[in-house]
Amino acid sequence: MILRSFLAVLAACLSLSMPGFAQTDDTRAATGGAQTLEDILARQRGEVVDDSAMRAATGDPDSAAGIAEQLGTLGGASDPDLWRALRYGSADITVSSRSPAAGVIIQDGGMEWLQFREGPLAHYGGYLLLGMIAVLVLFYLTRGKIRIDGGASGQTILRFNAVERFGHWLMAGSFIVLAVTGLVMIFGRLALIPLLGKDVYAPIANVGKWAHNNLAWAFMAGLAIVIVVWIADNFPNKHDLKWLAKGGGLFSTGVHPPAKKFNAGQKIIFWSVVVLGVSISLSGLSLLFPFELPMFAKTFVVLNATGLPQLFGFGELPTVLGPHQEMQLAQAWHGIVAFVFMAIIIAHIYLGSVGMEGAFDAVGTGEVDVQWAKEHHALWYEETRGAASRDAPAEPAE
């Protein structure tokens, strides 16, 4: 209480000498419009604070007293006025650099971005990954490994050729490195530095940042290959509804809904990879080329036109963003998409390895057991066998 009273008296005294703050009858009258202790506490709690009075109080050189007059000033703006103008981006400054963000001396939204990055993004993202792992462990303990019901036949059929496997592993291998290095950067200050210490973490983070920036190109190349070679086989068809109705046979032994080259579950994975992969690549490019590829102001214009932000109570999204705001939104979106992407891929890795017998061979050697193909992709197997019969050389007549 003593500290609160002292701050209130001090703020009231300072307000008498602060030009630009009009005395009003509102709750800020005691401070002349300056922020109060409640403002500071509210900001620490993450609440929205009305800073309109401070934004407007950045001095008025035109109303400054002449230098020859008593108590005359040179500019009509005090140091606090100047720092407020810098904070809210209204100061008239000149810089020698020509970069888009060079004129931003103080970026007020940086703290909000940091709090989101170390708060909701890291915590909910971490819970999402741990939750997915827990679900898969529970599924394995209850369902067990999905076996080839008819037993392996010992005969194989080509499922994916060399180009398909190359595109898959180029994307998958780079994605794993990107995921690990991204997690190292996200959880560095929260978990790794307290655990390992700064001296150990620093070189790990340095190498991880280099790998993250450079292997991003391999991921985008692999994504492009996968889209080209597999998109034609991933459009929905009537068989997908039957597959979904039976849960793909994942929860019942001996149930194998017919499917073509890709079943409905794999198609969901494919389109998730395409949508999330393209999105994370675009935000990644924006981060790789700082301040050069702004995306969100234009995106918000389109979203506002659809009416969706207003429908969900967000109002009109801002369509004029500063360079730092664009970068912070790109980084936040990059992180959100990355966590969702990782959760989906964890499930994909499980089903393609320990979760299903014979599945890994498809992207390993490219050859799968004939019985596996009959059970999981019967329509594709029949099409492939029929095409092979038509392409086989005719027997010579006797």
Side-chain angles (χ1 to χ4, degrees):
M1 292 299 295
I2 296 175
L3 178 60
R4 185 189 297 268
S5 301
F6 172 74
L7 291 174
V9 173
L10 179 61
C13 294
L14 289 175
S15 69
L16 298 177
S17 60
M18 294 179 65
F21 283 119
Q23 294 291 333
T24 63
D25 294 331
D26 62 18
T27 57
R28 300 176 186 276
T31 64
Q35 65 177 345
T36 64
L37 177 59
E38 289 301 324
D39 292 337
I40 298 172
L41 295 175
R43 185 175 288 108
Q44 291 176 345
R45 292 192 297 267
E47 299 173 5
V48 178
V49 177
D50 180 13
D51 56 14
S52 57
M54 290 185 289
R55 286 180 179 272
T58 55
D60 183 8
D62 295 332
S63 63
I67 190 171
E69 298 179 19
Q70 185 178 11
L71 300 179
T73 63
L74 294 178
S78 63
D79 283 347
D81 293 333
L82 172 62
W83 287 112
R84 275 191 294 274
L86 290 173
R87 174 182 179 183
Y88 296 115
S90 60
D92 183 14
I93 59 175
T94 302
V95 295
S96 58
S97 174
R98 297 295 182 183
S99 63
V104 181
I105 308 301
I106 299 176
Q107 205 273 315
D108 193 51
M111 202 66 212
E112 184 180 357
W113 164 79
L114 180 62
Q115 290 171 344
F116 171 78
R117 185 179 183 274
E118 296 187 346
L121 178 62
H123 287 89
Y124 292 126
Y127 295 149
L128 176 62
L129 299 186
L130 292 176
M132 177 59 76
I133 293 173
V135 168
L136 293 174
V137 170
L138 181 63
F139 180 79
Y140 183 82
L141 293 176
T142 55
R143 175 66 169 89
K145 190 168 188 173
I146 300 173
R147 301 287 182 180
I148 301 176
D149 290 333
S153 65
Q155 297 177 318
T156 60
I157 184 174
L158 179 65
R159 178 153 173 79
F160 297 133
N161 60 37
V163 174
E164 292 173 301
R165 298 199 307 277
F166 173 77
H168 173 272
W169 285 114
L170 181 63
M171 181 177 65
S174 57
F175 179 85
I176 291 173
V177 177
L178 292 171
V180 172
T181 54
L183 291 174
V184 167
M185 287 186 277
I186 285 288
F187 292 104
R189 184 180 297 181
L190 293 175
L192 296 180
I193 290 178
L195 178 65
L196 303 176
K198 294 181 179 179
D199 292 337
V200 175
Y201 174 76
I204 295 175
N206 190 41
V207 173
K209 181 178 180 297
W210 182 91
H212 199 90
N213 290 345
N214 288 280
L215 287 179
W217 302 105
F219 170 80
M220 287 184 276
L223 177 64
I225 294 172
V226 164
I227 292 175
V228 170
V229 298
W230 283 339
I231 191 169
D233 294 309
N234 275 280
F235 290 106
N237 57 54
K238 62 181 181 181
H239 304 290
D240 297 330
L241 296 176
K242 298 178 182 178
W243 192 94
L244 290 171
K246 295 184 178 181
L250 298 177
F251 304 96
S252 305
T253 303
V255 177
H256 302 291
K260 292 194 173 186
K261 186 169 185 177
F262 295 104
N263 59 43
Q266 292 168 327
K267 291 177 181 179
I268 292 173
I269 295 292
F270 174 82
W271 288 110
S272 298
V273 168
V274 170
V275 173
L276 297 177
V278 170
S279 181
I280 205 170
S281 296
L282 291 175
S283 60
L285 286 171
S286 183
L287 296 171
L288 284 171
F289 299 98
F291 313 116
E292 298 294 333
L293 298 172
M295 298 184 302
F296 283 88
K298 296 179 180 179
T299 303
F300 290 164
V301 170
V302 176
L303 289 176
N304 286 337
T306 66
L308 291 176
Q310 300 89 324
L311 179 64
F312 289 99
F314 293 103
E316 290 281 335
L317 298 177
T319 55
V320 178
L321 298 171
H324 286 77
Q325 290 176 299
E326 285 279 2
M327 291 296 295
Q328 287 158 0
L329 286 170
Q331 197 278 339
W333 182 252
H334 196 75
I336 293 170
V337 174
F339 276 115
V340 175
F341 207 164
M342 285 186 282
I344 292 173
I345 295 303
I346 287 173
H348 175 64
I349 291 174
Y350 166 79
L351 287 174
S353 55
V354 297
M356 179 180 290
E357 181 183 9
F360 183 80
D361 295 335
V363 291
T365 64
E367 302 273 346
V368 295
D369 189 85
V370 167
Q371 184 61 30
W372 182 91
K374 290 179 180 179
E375 292 182 3
H376 297 288
H377 299 274
L379 299 176
W380 167 78
Y381 173 75
E382 293 297 332
E383 290 175 356
T384 304
R385 189 179 66 172
S389 300
R390 290 192 299 271
D391 295 338
E395 292 289 335
E398 296 182 359

